[in-house]
Amino acid sequence: MLCMNNQTSCGYADVVVHRLLAAAIGIAPLPNAVRDKDALHDCAGNLNTRHRNAQMAGRASVELHTLIFFKDNSVVADARVVKVKQNGLVVFVPKYGIEGPVYLTPKDTANNANATQQFVLDEEKQTVVSTDGSIRFAVFDKCAVRITVEEGASHRRSLLLALVPRSELPAGDQLG
């Protein structure tokens, strides 16, 4: 329930918490409005629900506007590996503030026994290496990704990140 920012939705939560803290340290008496435990519990539940809904609405808005930006605009951008997995990577694209999965094996064959044998994950070293040793990725490695929008079977659009050779990057976009 405690919000330490200036968002309007957190204003009332801050007021309630500050009144409780003031009463706890003896600065002010406990207001009658916060003496009823059930009412305070219901108020906290309502505030938490509103806060969660506001967060989800904000995230949905960011996702929508990101999809609109990349809808007809395939872009190659520099990225950093932030996590390695058996069948791919999670990368962060600083230029656009996007983080997402990049599959090393096709998604439809990700659970196929042959596909999982193509790459070996070393969790201790945080690396994923192809079985022939020709491809290796570790956390914080630089890579280049193509960002596109794909339409799924249910007509839901999603962002698709795919590895491309770093030579496809525009000269000014390479990370230092």
Side-chain angles (χ1 to χ4, degrees), residues 86 104-105 113-121 128-137:
Q86 180 71 33
L104 297 173
T105 57
N114 293 336
T116 57
Q117 296 302 317
Q118 292 178 356
F119 290 90
V120 177
L121 174 65
V128 63
V129 183
S130 63
T131 52
D132 65 0
S134 63
I135 303 171
R136 180 187 179 279
F137 289 102

Side-chain angles (χ1 to χ4, degrees), residues 57-75:
R59 290 177 188 146
S61 175
V62 168
E63 180 183 5
L64 172 66
H65 286 89
T66 302
L67 290 173
I68 289 170
F69 179 79
F70 288 109
K71 182 181 172 196
D72 297 319
N73 189 18
S74 177
V75 174

